[in-house]
Each structure stands twice: as C-alpha cells, then as structure tokens.
Amino acid sequence: TQPTTTTRGNEPTINRNEQMIRAGGYGRGRRGSGINPFFYYYAYRMYQQYQAVPNKPHGTLVVMAVMASYYFEVFPLLNDIIGDISSACFSPAKVLRDFELQRTLFSSFVHGDELHLAYNLSSLLTKGIKLEERYGGKAEKFVLLFCLVSVLTHGFAAIIAGGLFHSGLFDGDVYYNATYGSSGVLFALQTIVLGENPRGNYSFFGLQVPAHRLALTEVGLLYLMNPSTLNLIVHVSGILAGMLVLRPTKVINMLKYIFGFNLFGGFSNFSNNNRAREGRRGEGRNTPRLNGKRCVMTGLTGEQASLNGTWASIVRVLENGNKVVVKLDDETTTRGEIAVGRENVLPI
C-alpha cells in the first residue's frame, strides 16, 4: 500500500508522486522510460509457480488479470469503471464523509508502479493457490472472498481512522490522506491461510516466526520501512478482516468483552448454528483446546452479571460445545465451578 493524496477539499490534492503516476494515465508511472526490468523477473517467477501447481487457481488469475489490465490500460472500459487514482484510492474522509463506498473495493486494484504491482501479484498468487485448493477449485468463491475482505479491510480502516481523528488522538493526516494497493487485503488473506495452521513456524528473513505472529511481524517491518499511520491502520484492519472471516464468533466475543455487554445479539443464531455444526462432528475442532484455558467471563446476565470481567479456568465442555464448566479464580466466592454458555467465556 502506498500513500498518495490529501483530500481536505472537495477533490484530492495530488502530491508529486501521484502527478508522476497520473501523467502516464490511470496506473502507469513509467510510460516514458518503459517497464521496470524487475517486473519481468517477477512475472517469470509467477509463471513458474503457476505451472508447478496441478490445480490452477483460476479465480486468483481473474483478480490478477484485473489488476494488471487496469495498470497497463488494456481494457479502456475497465479503467473507466474504476477511474483514475484520485477517484479510486482509499481515503477515510471520502468513504465516511462523502460516502464513496466504491473506494473500499476499487483501491485494491490500483498500483503505483511495476514493482508495487509485481510484488502484490506474486503475493496474491501464493495465497490464492492455497485458498482455492482449500475451496475445491471454486474460482468464484475466491473472487467473492477477495472482494469481501477488500470491503471489510477498508471499511474497518475508515472507521478506525475516523475515530482516531475525531477523538483528537491524531491530526488530520490519518483521516484526510489517501492510499492505494492491495496490501491490506493480502494481510487478510494471509490471516485466513495461516489461521488453518496456527501452530506452525515460518521463516521470516532467516528468523523462525510462529504462524500466529507472522502477520503482525510483517506489519511492524513495513511500518519501519514506511512509517505511514494510515498504511499501518489499513494493514492491521486487514488482519482484523481476516480474523472476522476465519473466526467470526471469536472477533464478536472479543468486541463483546471490550464493550462489556452483548452488542451483537443478532449474531446469536449464527453462533448457535455454528456450534451445532461443530457438535455434530463430535466435540468440534476447537473444543479440546478449551480445556484448561484461562478465560474472562462476559455477557452474563441476571444473578451472574456480577461475574462479568472476572477470570476463570475452563474445566470441561458440555452439551456439544454449547456450555462450558469454569472454575472461578475469585477465592471469596463459594460458587466454585459453574456452568455458563460458550458465548459467555472469552478464552485468552
């Protein structure tokens, strides 16, 4: 993701980098000097990677084709639909103030130069191969997933940036600046990929990093390389969007704990259906991991409302995962072990 514009007025104020980009058309910033040679290197590596997999990721290729076609202006109609960088880039102010929601999707297809495009295409291909294999080669599922996480990522980023600005914690740059690229979406897809194997380790610049910390490690490194607060918000929002797609009930429970009460009663049917499906498989894939885990009580009502915010340990799971028995840490209470709903414990 690259920072591009400031949108304090009715139209974005174009800085020097974007003037160079727009001089070449919609996405190309190097028309006069030709294509960066490293783009051909990345393209050749992507071709080798594509040929090496038996099940071709057709959905990923569709998304990659749209990105490349927009950048190189292959189909004028596509460029007219997305628009130039100033009308497609992501800006929290434009999304929240002017309600230009199309930016939450279109900004993911815009790139500033060949290296920016090539790196994101290569990363997208790697993640797309794994995800499409998981979806049984359903190309349309991956395309819809990409669009969904793009909207979620930039939607979260707009809300976070707007909140930080209006609270007075940050100046107007975090709200009025703009950015473009698919880095936030790639963090969301990476979170989904790694979420299926959170116990593995991955090599990161020669260091062995646990899977559940890899995305945050990359976010930190990118921020050190390019200390942009808005980019940091977009990248973290991508991780949050991936978590929401991968573990919706866990994110909802986390928000319930933060706010101290159940804001998401409308999701109860979804949560119950999800636990019922897990129950039909036995105890569910997450149930064995709950035993012995530390947790925080949340969302309790009635006589148990006073226990919200207290710590406990999960002893065992009951009724196909719908209820759990916890042992309270509070030594002053005589309740000892109590049974509560699965949605009333937040494992830590």
Side-chain angles (χ1 to χ4, degrees), residues 116-137:
H116 188 203
L117 174 66
Y119 179 82
N120 282 353
L121 289 179
S122 177
S123 180
L124 177 62
L125 179 60
T126 300
K127 296 168 177 59
I129 290 174
K130 297 178 181 179
L131 289 173
E132 288 203 51
E133 181 180 1
R134 189 174 301 163
Y135 295 147

Side-chain angles (χ1 to χ4, degrees), residues 122-273:
S122 177
S123 180
L124 177 62
L125 179 60
T126 300
K127 296 168 177 59
I129 290 174
K130 297 178 181 179
L131 289 173
E132 288 203 51
E133 181 180 1
R134 189 174 301 163
Y135 295 147
K138 301 287 187 179
E140 65 278 7
K141 285 188 177 182
F142 180 81
V143 175
L144 291 175
L145 175 65
F146 182 90
C147 296
L148 173 64
V149 296
S150 177
V151 173
L152 288 176
T153 296
H154 295 101
F156 287 150
I159 294 173
I160 294 172
L164 293 176
F165 168 65
H166 290 295
S167 66
L169 296 176
F170 287 83
D171 58 20
D173 288 346
V174 74
Y175 183 64
Y176 291 104
N177 278 1
T179 185
Y180 56 83
S182 57
S183 297
V185 180
L186 293 175
F187 274 112
L189 298 178
Q190 182 186 55
T191 301
I192 297 173
V193 171
L194 297 179
E196 296 297 325
N197 183 25
R199 298 179 183 275
N201 291 326
Y202 290 81
S203 177
F204 184 74
F205 288 94
L207 301 175
Q208 292 297 315
V209 180
H212 62 279
R213 296 179 181 173
L214 181 61
L216 288 176
T217 303
E218 291 188 11
V219 167
L221 178 63
L222 287 176
Y223 182 74
L224 293 177
M225 296 171 61
N226 180 22
S228 166
T229 304
L230 180 56
N231 283 348
L232 176 64
I233 292 174
V234 172
H235 296 162
V236 173
S237 297
I239 297 176
L240 183 60
M243 291 173 58
L244 184 61
V245 173
L246 187 67
R247 300 284 188 270
T249 54
K250 179 169 287 191
V251 175
I252 292 169
N253 284 335
M254 178 178 67
L255 295 175
K256 285 165 57 178
Y257 172 65
I258 292 174
F259 289 102
F261 57 91
N262 190 355
L263 293 177
F264 303 94
F267 285 87
S268 59
N269 291 335
F270 172 83
S271 303
N272 291 335
N273 292 338

Side-chain angles (χ1 to χ4, degrees), residues 11 22 53 61 113 144 200 217 233 247 277 281 333:
E11 292 297 329
R22 292 185 66 185
V53 295
L61 292 182
D113 54 44
L144 291 175
T217 303
I233 292 174
R247 300 284 188 270
R277 286 196 299 269
R281 299 188 188 109
T333 181

